[in-house]
Amino acid sequence: MPAHHQVDLLTLPLPHCWFEAETALPAHRFKAANLGTGSDALLGVARRTQGAELADKARPEDNTLDGAQRSFDTYFNVLRADDLPIPQYRAALGQTLKGCYLDVQTGVSLTDREIEVLSLGLHRLADWAQFPTTVDGADDTPWEAHSPSQLYRWKQQHHLFFVIVHGMLYLLHVLEEALDKSHAPVVRAILQDFAELMEASEVAFRLASDFSQEAYDTEIRPDMFAFDPHFSGLFYADHKELITRLRVLRRVGSDFGEELDRINAAITQSYEAHALVCLRFVGETSSLASKDETRVAAESIRNKYVKRTKTIAGFGKDG
């Protein structure tokens, strides 16, 4: 495989670590008015998150994921660490956001507005990871873009999606604490940030699949099939944890209806984006993992999975 196809090794916490982490409110809050436009907005948050070093090396014996989940991580070049989630996450953010920006510079079909939605969500991650909003004396040496590669984009931008999901897990943990303390202003702020992350996740998902049908047919799908003929996103441990933990939203009172409506709408949009990607690349066919060749992947997403998620989150059948 050519070198430019290989994403850097990414170390992430195990998903359960977030619900054991000590929490702290952001010391710095990025102002949306300072976001910038288009790719400059993405460059701003990528520069903001540079400089954090990896807290500790991952130890295979500490990895509690099952075999299928470990295999999924291996495909995307991910290791796990069972300690110090926030320092680990800070390093992961810096690595991933730089890679994301460099890849975007090679050309994407996203609009400037979509990149700005993504960038604002990433700034919220940087807020909660305790990065200052500005860095005095920051290194502004130009970054050299990677050679364009569809397979590289598929894997690199999955890293971006992964760090967004980890940010959501942390916010759900902080939300639990705020609800326990009946701290309404903090609850509102967390829900607003969670909505922005959910909206950013939709853009990140579409970015990961921003390539041609030919690239999917000749590079992406063959690569997944060669790795595992039954490869599936259902093996992604962090997303499974996220869906389970969404139940905390059931505890949020009706006073926060506007924020909950925004989250509900963002969930709908995220699943619809996933369904549309499936329709674009595989049409009315099943996924690699499906044992039923008559089951249409997009319809499973639209009917089964989005309804399951909304039921767990307390949004009801009709959402």
Side-chain angles (χ1 to χ4, degrees):
M1 181 181 295
H4 60 266
H5 282 178
Q6 183 65 43
V7 298
D8 292 335
L9 184 68
L10 181 68
T11 300
L12 291 171
L14 288 162
H16 74 267
C17 289
W18 290 111
F19 299 92
E20 301 167 357
E22 294 185 5
T23 61
L25 298 180
H28 310 273
R29 292 286 295 176
F30 179 80
K31 294 182 179 180
N34 298 332
L35 185 62
T37 59
S39 63
D40 285 344
L42 188 57
L43 176 61
V45 68
R47 290 286 192 187
R48 179 186 175 190
T49 56
Q50 297 307 296
E53 297 182 358
L54 191 63
D56 193 11
K57 292 183 178 180
R59 296 182 294 271
E61 62 272 17
D62 292 337
N63 191 337
T64 56
L65 301 184
D66 65 31
Q69 293 168 337
R70 292 188 189 209
S71 179
F72 185 90
D73 280 358
T74 298
Y75 177 76
F76 286 107
N77 210 19
V78 169
L79 289 178
R80 299 289 180 158
D82 189 24
D83 194 20
L84 302 174
I86 292 178
Q88 295 284 356
Y89 188 61
R90 285 171 56 83
L93 269 182
Q95 175 184 326
T96 302
L97 269 55
K98 180 177 181 180
C100 170
Y101 171 76
L102 291 174
D103 183 47
V104 166
Q105 290 304 102
T106 68
V108 293
S109 65
L110 299 178
T111 66
D112 283 353
R113 175 56 185 160
E114 289 167 337
I115 294 175
E116 290 156 20
V117 168
L118 173 64
S119 302
L120 183 58
L122 296 175
H123 270 296
R124 295 300 166 235
L125 295 180
D127 290 344
W128 285 93
Q130 306 296 329
F131 283 99
T133 55
T134 58
V135 182
D136 295 333
D139 182 7
D140 58 359
T141 303
W143 289 339
E144 182 179 354
H146 295 285
S147 301
S149 163
Q150 312 299 350
L151 188 57
Y152 174 85
R153 172 163 293 173
W154 174 245
K155 296 187 178 183
Q156 175 61 53
Q157 305 305 357
H158 266 79
H159 281 191
L160 179 66
F161 183 75
F162 296 168
V163 297
I164 291 174
V165 169
H166 274 264
M168 291 179 180
L169 288 171
Y170 183 49
L171 281 181
L172 291 175
H173 175 36
V174 182
L175 177 61
E176 284 184 321
E177 292 188 337
L179 289 168
D180 288 343
K181 297 175 181 178
S182 300
H183 201 314
V186 175
V187 169
R188 191 175 306 279
I190 295 168
L191 292 173
Q192 290 170 344
D193 286 357
F194 191 86
E196 289 182 347
L197 283 185
M198 184 64 72
E199 292 162 357
S201 75
E202 180 208 344
V203 181
F205 189 88
R206 288 191 287 113
L207 178 56
S209 59
D210 192 11
F211 42 72
S212 66
Q213 181 72 51
E214 179 184 7
Y216 181 80
D217 291 339
T218 62
E219 293 185 59
I220 311 302
R221 192 174 178 94
D223 189 68
M224 289 190 291
F225 186 87
F227 181 81
D228 182 350
H230 302 291
F231 190 81
S232 173
L234 296 174
F235 303 150
Y236 176 33
D238 303 326
H239 187 261
K240 181 179 180 181
E241 184 80 11
L242 175 65
I243 299 304
T244 300
R245 298 288 183 169
L246 282 174
R247 69 167 67 95
V248 71
L249 293 176
R250 289 172 169 267
R251 295 179 55 195
V252 177
S254 59
D255 290 347
F256 304 97
E258 181 178 342
E259 291 78 14
L260 290 173
D261 286 346
R262 186 178 174 189
I263 293 170
N264 187 18
I267 291 174
T268 299
Q269 292 163 6
S270 296
Y271 276 89
E272 181 61 17
H274 191 176
L276 290 174
V277 167
C278 289
L279 284 173
R280 180 158 64 94
F281 289 126
V282 302
E284 303 288 327
T285 62
S286 62
S287 66
L288 282 178
S290 178
K291 296 180 181 179
D292 181 358
E293 294 183 358
T294 67
R295 179 177 296 173
V296 178
E299 291 308 309
S300 294
I301 293 167
R302 284 172 166 164
N303 294 321
K304 178 181 177 181
Y305 295 121
V306 69
K307 290 180 180 178
R308 173 207 59 185
T309 296
K310 290 196 171 195
T311 297
I312 291 172
F315 292 127
K317 294 182 179 179
D318 297 326

